[in-house]
């Protein structure tokens, strides 16, 4: 996206299933969405960021029964855990949708009726291998058998089910989906996931069962309340519910189609095959992109409740601090790939990159200005060739990051920023402003001003990743709250403004639990 091209941006997390408490995977997906939303706001775009909870289906009905609770009371309780995660992780979502809301029931009903009106739905019966855990049917070629039990590709146990069902004519969409993927090569990212989806569709699609009669906890099928809607038709509709569907004249409808649906790789098929087919069949534009990220392991082990190694994101931020955890999760692993969570790695990133590299550069520079420039920002001077090395590298960051954010390359964006942080540390050691105080005070002031200008850019572009800490850094740099956007970087701060005494931005972890 070019600089100055302001537009509307719609970003979503998946809606999280309320049969359990939030874990690191939920925090990771929402964090990526939050960082991208914050970046686009920083770049002058109008952003709508949606998250929420998926509250219908057989799994939720069973979890509520096991807990001895009414399904609505159960979902009210568990949904609140996800709201708390959003608050504690400082996510900037504009809405939080629940599929038990009346607005969502209206949207699901309207979408069903439109699909039926267009002849995309018919009544039949379904029999096949069904996984309750995945809320999905699987073909015979996808089933494996161990110890007399059959399993889906996800590892979930399956059972043979036969019941009346309404069907969506998915098989008719094979060629149109393949053409859509060809016409929109960036619809699925990363590219490896795109190849998986195309291979699956090319192998042929079967009509999709979109209703159930074996449980009641769901949206009733219009005109046939013995059926409830298949949880994925229900759940996926949330993305258009939140922008006003079926009222396409609603103020929020201007955000559709969504720019990026962030999902885990385990639910890519539903978002990249079923969802665009549902939408196109109803005459609605499909989203622009589905980005499927990888999974985390914990110290080399698969994360599971049975192993007792589920990572609680709230416990993490309680130990290491919110912004270091936000930084680590998007710094450690290229977004889209699987990664291993290691507390040693988190501590190393915090101590070395945050405290030593960035924190130390800010503290040294601002302390020198306090002591040697009467705690006031030095005036700008004509830059030397040496100054330009640092200033040009910093000035290039917004453009470079803009291109990386446009393809959700968060890890690469942070590496670009850290290349300038490392340059700043090498540059201050080379220029030695502390030694220039007696020999060339004018040059000392120019060096400190160049460092300050570079750090202003660094702090500005890092706001999406570490909003609280970068707010404090910008405070210490004397940047007014209204001048912390990418566009504001084009206007230098006036020399002579008073700067507050600097305080450390990050606390090193000396002896933390591993």
């Amino acid at each position: 996206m070019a600089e100055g091209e302001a537009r509307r941006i719609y970003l979503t997390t998946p809606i999280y299933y309320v049969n359990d408490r939030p874990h690191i995977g939920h925090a990771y997906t929402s964090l990526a969405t939050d960082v991208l939303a914050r970046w686009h706001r920083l770049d002058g775009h109008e952003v709508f960021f949606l998250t929420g909870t998926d509250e219908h289906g057989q799994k939720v009905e069973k979890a509520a029964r096991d807990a001895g609770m009414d399904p609505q009371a159960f979902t009210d309780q568990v949904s609140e855990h996800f709201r708390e995660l959003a608050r504690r992780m400082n996510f900037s979502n504009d809405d939080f949708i629940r599929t038990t809301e009346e607005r969502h029931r209206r949207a699901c009903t309207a979408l069903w009726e439109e699909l039926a009106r267009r002849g995309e739905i018919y009544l039949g019966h379904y029999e096949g291998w069904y996984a309750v855990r995945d809320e999905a049917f699987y073909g015979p070629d996808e089933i494996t058998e161990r110890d007399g039990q059959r399993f889906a590709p996800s590892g979930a146990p399956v059972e043979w089910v036969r019941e009346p069902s309404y069907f969506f004519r998915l098989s008719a969409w094979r060629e149109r989906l393949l053409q859509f993927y060809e016409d929109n090569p960036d619809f699925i990212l990363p590219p490896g996931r795109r190849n998986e989806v195309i291979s699956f569709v090319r192998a042929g699609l079967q009509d999709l069962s979109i209703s159930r009669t074996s449980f009641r906890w769901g949206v009733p099928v219009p005109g046939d309340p013995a059926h409830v809607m298949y949880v994925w038709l229900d759940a996926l509709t949330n993305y258009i519910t939140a922008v006003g569907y079926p009222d396409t004249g609603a103020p929020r409808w201007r955000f559709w189609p969504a720019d990026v649906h962030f999902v885990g790789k385990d639910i890519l098929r539903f978002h990249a095959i079923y969802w665009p087919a549902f939408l196109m069949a109803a005459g609605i534009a499909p989203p622009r992109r589905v980005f499927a990220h990888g999974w985390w392991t914990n110290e080399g082990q698969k994360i599971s409740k049975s192993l007792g190694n589920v990572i609680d994101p709230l416990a993490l931020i309680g130990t290491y601090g919110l912004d270091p955890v936000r930084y680590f999760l998007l710094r450690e692993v290229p977004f889209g790939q699987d990664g291993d969570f290691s507390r040693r790695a988190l501590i190393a990133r915090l101590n070395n990159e945050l405290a030593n590299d960035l924190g130390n550069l800010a503290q040294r520079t601002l302390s020198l200005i306090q002591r040697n420039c009467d705690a006031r920002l030095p005036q700008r001077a004509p830059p030397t060739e040496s100054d330009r090395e640092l200033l040009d590298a910093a000035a290039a960051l917004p453009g470079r990051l803009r291109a990386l954010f446009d393809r959700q390359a968060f890890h690469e964006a942070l590496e670009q920023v850290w290349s300038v942080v490392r340059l700043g540390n090498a540059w201050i050691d080379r220029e030695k402003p502390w030694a220039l105080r007696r020999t060339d005070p004018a040059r000392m002031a120019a060096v400190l001003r160049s460092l300050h200008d570079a750090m202003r850019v660094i702090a500005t572009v890092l706001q999406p990743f570490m909003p609280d800490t970068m707010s404090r850094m910008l405070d210490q740099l004397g940047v007014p709250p209204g001048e912390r956007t990418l566009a504001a970087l084009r206007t230098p701060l006036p020399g002579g403004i008073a700067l507050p005494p600097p305080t450390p931005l990050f606390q090193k972890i000396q002896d933390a639990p591993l």
Side-chain angles (χ1 to χ4, degrees), residues 282-315:
I284 302 170
R288 294 188 174 96
R289 177 170 299 164
V290 176
F291 196 110
H293 65 74
W295 290 339
W296 286 92
T297 53
N298 186 356
E299 310 286 353
Q301 282 190 311
K302 182 179 178 181
I303 294 175
S304 74
K305 285 194 291 186
S306 61
L307 291 174
N309 66 347
V310 174
I311 301 170
D312 179 355
L314 300 184

Side-chain angles (χ1 to χ4, degrees), residues 193-513:
R193 306 283 178 226
R194 177 178 184 271
N195 297 337
E196 292 171 13
V197 169
I198 290 174
S199 295
F200 184 87
V201 174
R202 277 186 179 147
L205 296 172
Q206 295 183 335
D207 288 352
L208 182 67
S209 170
I210 56 169
S211 74
R212 299 287 182 272
T213 58
S214 53
F215 62 93
R216 307 290 346 124
W217 186 240
V219 179
V221 167
D224 194 348
H227 291 251
V228 296
M229 292 185 197
Y230 171 50
V231 70
W232 277 106
L233 176 61
D234 166 1
L236 290 163
T237 303
N238 93 90
Y239 302 126
I240 55 175
T241 298
V243 289
Y245 187 81
D247 179 7
T248 56
R252 282 184 178 177
W253 189 254
R254 71 190 190 278
F255 285 99
W256 190 262
D259 290 86
V260 187
H261 290 321
F262 285 97
V263 300
K265 64 181 183 180
D266 53 323
I267 55 173
L268 175 60
R269 182 188 302 180
F270 307 105
H271 284 80
I273 301 174
Y274 302 169
W275 184 223
F278 292 155
L279 290 167
M280 291 190 285
I284 302 170
R288 294 188 174 96
R289 177 170 299 164
V290 176
F291 196 110
H293 65 74
W295 290 339
W296 286 92
T297 53
N298 186 356
E299 310 286 353
Q301 282 190 311
K302 182 179 178 181
I303 294 175
S304 74
K305 285 194 291 186
S306 61
L307 291 174
N309 66 347
V310 174
I311 301 170
D312 179 355
L314 300 184
L316 274 185
I317 64 178
T319 301
Y320 303 106
L322 173 57
D323 280 354
V325 170
R326 286 176 59 107
Y327 172 82
F328 173 80
L329 290 176
L330 292 178
R331 175 71 163 125
E332 182 71 3
V333 179
F335 193 67
Q337 296 183 19
D338 292 340
D340 184 50
F341 181 87
S342 159
R343 284 165 175 76
R344 285 184 175 84
L346 193 163
I347 292 168
R349 295 277 188 193
L350 195 168
N351 287 349
N352 297 330
E353 294 181 349
L354 296 181
N356 286 351
D357 291 349
L358 178 57
N360 192 41
L361 178 62
Q363 188 72 15
R364 293 168 80 189
T365 302
L366 292 171
S367 295
L368 286 166
I369 292 174
Q370 283 287 313
R371 292 196 301 269
N372 302 312
C373 303
D374 297 324
R376 294 188 176 275
L377 179 62
Q379 299 289 341
R380 285 186 131 196
T384 65
E385 186 175 339
S386 177
D387 296 333
R388 289 198 178 280
E389 178 188 10
L390 177 62
L391 294 173
D392 290 352
L397 276 178
R400 289 178 178 172
L401 267 58
R402 192 175 283 115
L404 294 170
F405 273 106
D406 280 351
R407 55 185 178 88
Q408 291 76 65
F410 303 110
H411 173 269
E412 293 180 55
L414 286 169
E415 179 53 37
Q416 284 289 327
V417 178
W418 246 256
S419 69
V420 179
V421 173
R422 289 190 292 266
L423 174 61
N425 277 302
W427 197 80
I428 192 174
D429 288 340
R430 188 177 75 203
E431 294 294 326
K432 297 181 174 58
W434 53 87
L436 292 169
R437 180 184 179 185
R438 290 178 183 153
T439 60
D440 192 345
R443 177 59 188 157
M444 175 202 70
V447 166
L448 293 174
R449 176 63 196 238
S450 293
L451 284 162
H452 183 283
D453 286 350
M455 286 193 303
R456 179 190 177 193
V457 177
I458 290 167
T460 299
V461 300
L462 283 176
Q463 288 177 98
F465 295 95
M466 298 181 285
D468 289 345
T469 309
M470 290 306 101
S471 177
R472 289 193 291 116
M473 184 170 172
L474 288 163
D475 287 345
Q476 294 185 34
L477 291 167
V479 181
E483 297 178 29
R484 298 180 180 186
T485 64
L486 299 185
L489 290 174
R490 294 193 288 265
T491 304
L493 291 179
I497 61 172
L499 301 183
T503 56
L505 296 169
F506 302 99
Q507 297 297 327
K508 282 190 174 183
I509 301 289
Q510 303 294 349
D511 185 22

